[in-house]
Amino acid sequence: ADVTLQLTVEPAPPSVGFARLDVVLLDSAGAPLDGATPVIVRGDMAHAGMRPVLATAIAQGDGRYRADFEWTMAGDWIVTVEATLPDGRVKAAVFDYTVGN
């Protein structure tokens, strides 16, 4: 609860193809949290049988981390972001998206 992880996707709403995912990490006071490494993004289709899409988000400063990502199919996706914080703890969050054609 002391670290907040936010995720935004461009373009929004998401559609099949390439996207930019921006992760924001904030400490308990709401200040940007830099120094997390790695910050891994994993996208899984909500149904079985599809390979996950993996990406590593690169630090942009001010608690922001950016990943290039590809939505490989339309449908419901579960995106998990896992960040290893500077103190070694791991913060993870799960986000649901519906991807259009």
Side-chain angles (χ1 to χ4, degrees), residues 6-7 9 13 15 21 26 34 40 45 47-49 66 71 74 79 82 87-88 96:
Q6 301 169 346
L7 178 64
V9 175
S15 59
L21 277 58
L26 303 171
D34 289 326
I40 305 296
M45 293 288 304
H47 62 78
R66 178 169 289 164
W71 303 108
V79 177
E82 186 174 280
D87 64 7
D96 296 319

Side-chain angles (χ1 to χ4, degrees), residues 30-96:
L33 180 62
D34 289 326
T37 184
V39 177
I40 305 296
V41 179
R42 177 186 173 118
D44 291 286
M45 293 288 304
H47 62 78
M50 295 294 294
R51 288 185 183 202
V53 175
L54 300 172
T56 301
I58 306 300
Q60 305 294 304
D62 291 327
R64 297 186 180 280
Y65 302 81
R66 178 169 289 164
D68 292 326
F69 193 82
E70 183 178 7
W71 303 108
T72 55
M73 178 181 264
D76 294 326
W77 286 74
I78 301 163
V79 177
T80 305
V81 179
E82 186 174 280
T84 301
L85 306 176
D87 64 7
R89 293 179 299 145
V90 176
K91 173 69 177 180
V94 177
F95 303 88
D96 296 319

